[in-house]
Amino acid sequence: MCAERPPVCDYEGSDYQTAFWEQGDRAYEDQVEALALRRLLPKAGKLLLELGAGAGRNTPRYSHFERVVLLDYSRTQLEQAQARLGRGERYVFVAADIYGLPFATGVFDAATMIRVLHHMADPALALRQVQRSLQTGGTFILEYANKQNLKAILRYLAGRQSWNPFSLDAVEFAELNFDFHPRVVKSWLEECGFDIQRTLTVSHFRISLVKRVVPLRLLVWLDGLAQWSGDLWQLTPSVFVRAKAAGELPAEGQGEGALGGLFRCPECGSSGLEEGQGYLSCPGCGRRWSSQDGIYDFRASLA
Ligand SMILES: [Zn+2]
């Protein structure tokens, strides 16, 4: 089954958190994302799935959820998140492929996927997995990179960019880095069983000169005002969408309590994995999945 899955952009061993966020002059991007998340997240919740959690930059923003499951393909990113957040009961760390999510159907009441879709070679396949993991009516907050942004439009019109920002095809500007057209993302969400409720445009002022001369607080405040125009048009490099999982999905997991009820085997789909010493075993196919040092690892089975 794994061999049929699309390629994954793997951050194993990456210093992304330090290089991009902490030394990369991105306080503005970080703060306007935080603002969009505050506006879109439910006020309270039980179990939130953070897809592509990385080193846990956004995780403290989900503090009003009782429990957060951090999922990333890279184990070293999750180790950084553990070091930052601590282990404790509140957090569950899971290394897994987003195309084969190891969760029982309908166990989460919310999910977030921020700065992750732009690494997806098959976004619709990933979104279907997310939809299946959510309860009916569960909230999904998706951020994606918008190819039809003002900078790309101006560059295209000036003849300084070969690709057309208005066309519906994705643009892969680096390997496994895609910008998508808003209309296409909307259609994927709808096809995968989501009802879109709200769209916020984010990072209106992602221009080095502007970030240098305008005080950060003022810039964040201005972006906060402009975010509300997202339901009308989307011309920013980053777009946030709040959608609800529609349809009738029977919840088979127990969400809280036993973690065996949270997971299902990503290979055969059996639920009710049994907890052993350092592993979970699948009652369906007999595969064992590692659970060492506080990280459940579903990327490859032990046996
Ligand atoms: Zn199995």
Side-chain angles (χ1 to χ4, degrees):
M1 193 195 259
C2 283
E4 294 161 16
R5 289 186 193 147
V8 174
C9 185
D10 188 356
Y11 275 67
E12 193 72 13
S14 160
D15 66 345
Y16 170 73
Q17 176 65 31
T18 317
F20 188 88
W21 288 106
E22 288 161 25
Q23 296 164 2
D25 191 21
R26 288 189 171 82
Y28 162 71
E29 282 82 356
D30 186 53
Q31 290 193 21
V32 292
E33 277 190 23
L35 181 57
L37 276 173
R38 270 202 305 281
R39 287 173 167 174
L40 296 177
L41 278 167
K43 296 289 169 245
K46 286 196 162 162
L47 188 63
L48 179 135
L49 170 61
E50 183 178 12
L51 295 139
R57 175 180 65 97
N58 274 318
T59 315
R61 293 167 181 158
Y62 309 136
S63 59
H64 48 299
F65 278 78
E66 289 172 19
R67 209 169 201 190
V68 179
V69 175
L70 292 90
L71 182 130
D72 206 278
Y73 192 74
S74 157
R75 194 183 170 95
T76 54
Q77 291 291 307
L78 292 171
E79 285 164 1
Q80 289 180 41
Q82 272 185 333
R84 168 187 292 243
L85 303 163
R87 289 198 195 172
E89 276 284 288
R90 263 188 62 68
Y91 302 113
V92 182
F93 299 89
V94 179
D97 186 343
I98 211 161
Y99 296 114
L101 288 181
F103 304 113
T105 300
V107 282
F108 295 98
D109 48 341
T112 63
M113 193 161 139
I114 313 299
R115 290 181 179 255
V116 174
L117 196 77
H118 69 278
H119 291 313
M120 301 278 128
D122 190 344
L125 180 60
L127 294 174
R128 259 193 295 279
Q129 290 279 311
V130 178
Q131 204 269 358
R132 185 191 58 75
S133 306
L134 280 167
Q135 294 169 5
T136 301
T139 301
F140 178 41
I141 297 173
L142 171 70
E143 185 276 348
Y144 65 89
N146 173 19
K147 72 177 285 194
Q148 191 184 245
N149 65 73
L150 195 57
K151 194 168 158 190
I153 292 170
L154 293 175
R155 285 172 59 89
Y156 178 69
L157 295 178
R160 289 172 54 217
Q161 174 185 292
S162 57
W163 54 269
N164 180 351
F166 303 108
S167 67
L168 296 181
D169 54 319
V171 53
E172 187 173 14
F173 59 91
E175 195 188 359
L176 286 178
N177 279 268
F178 302 92
D179 284 354
F180 299 114
H181 194 287
R183 214 181 316 152
V184 174
V185 177
K186 184 169 177 284
S187 71
W188 285 331
L189 282 167
E190 287 167 354
E191 281 164 23
C192 294
F194 288 104
D195 290 336
I196 295 172
Q197 291 191 312
R198 175 112 238 180
T199 301
L200 298 181
T201 40
V202 175
S203 278
H204 291 77
F205 309 106
R206 191 184 289 174
I207 301 159
S208 305
L209 179 66
V210 176
K211 288 200 289 182
R212 234 175 297 136
V213 298
V214 183
L216 178 63
R217 283 182 61 181
L218 176 61
L219 211 54
V220 171
W221 183 80
L222 288 170
D223 196 83
L225 279 185
Q227 284 182 5
W228 298 115
S229 65
D231 283 330
L232 305 173
W233 55 77
Q234 301 90 34
L235 297 172
T236 47
S238 173
V239 177
F240 276 64
V241 176
R242 182 178 66 209
K244 289 267 179 212
E248 286 301 314
L249 273 175
E252 61 185 23
Q254 288 136 33
E256 307 159 83
L259 283 174
L262 169 66
F263 295 117
R264 78 168 199 177
C265 177
E267 284 296 331
C268 76
S270 297
S271 51
L273 304 191
E274 290 147 18
E275 200 132 23
Q277 204 56 262
Y279 63 85
L280 293 175
S281 75
C282 171
C285 66
R287 281 187 176 80
R288 287 183 173 182
W289 305 96
S290 162
S291 61
Q292 296 281 343
D293 302 321
I295 297 177
Y296 294 90
D297 195 335
F298 289 95
R299 294 172 302 173
S301 60
L302 296 170

